[in-house]
Amino acid sequence: MNGIVADVRSQLQSSSDDKTQASAQRFFKEPITTHGVKSATVVKIAKQALARLEGKPKKEVFALCEDLWRSGYLEEGSVACLWAYSLRGQYEPDDFGTFKHWVTHYVRNWAACDTLCNHTIGAFIETYPRYIEELKRWTTSDNRWHRRAAAVTLILPARKGLFLEDIFEIAAKLLTDPDDLVQKGYGWMLKAASEAHPKEVFDYLMSKKDMMPRTAFRYALEKMPADWRAKAMRKERT
């Protein structure tokens, strides 16, 4: 089984290109470790290796994911996320502890946070909605990635119209967070919710406009009708 991870690493290393390596850092404020491989190539490598894992116990696949995460490479974390998401039909309540462990110990930038949370943890929450209470607890964490994760985990469920009241509660808990990446995270969550509930989200934004940071406010408005956006911006605090 460990040979699969070794093969993935070998393919990532051989797929590296100097241009991608050089340009990757500009998307992040914090230092990153990267092989310099384009996203489409990473997905292709991950899916090819995944075929070799078919039928393997979830526990063994998660152990391989842990190995990939531990490397610190951005692309290896992405492979781990794809593999973990492929097992979403087998998720059990205890898996939340594994996902929390990955956020706590291995997520060090917004890309890793969003890749893990949008799909893997988001799918888990749809299966076990009671764990939204855990997300709410993350909003008070000292770890900025826990706080961003509390919001971006609900992006895909929000687009389906799910969990609106919980989304508003999480947004309220993060409302005045000083971290711009957390602000963008919950603004994105509200924007996603507006696709299914535009009026409710608009009313929520207008009720919070005097307290909500401009970054989050503008993110949340992006999917609104043009006349609604204009109305909100006229009333935005300067």
Side-chain angles (χ1 to χ4, degrees), residues 49 65 109 117 124 132 151 172 184 193 207 212-213:
C65 292
N109 56 71
C117 295
F124 176 89
I132 288 179
K184 291 174 182 177
S207 75
M212 187 177 292

Side-chain angles (χ1 to χ4, degrees), residues 69 102-110 112-114 116 143 145:
W69 276 116
W102 291 348
V103 175
T104 302
H105 293 282
Y106 302 127
V107 168
R108 294 291 179 267
N109 56 71
W110 62 263
C113 183
D114 298 356
L116 173 59
N143 184 328
W145 305 118

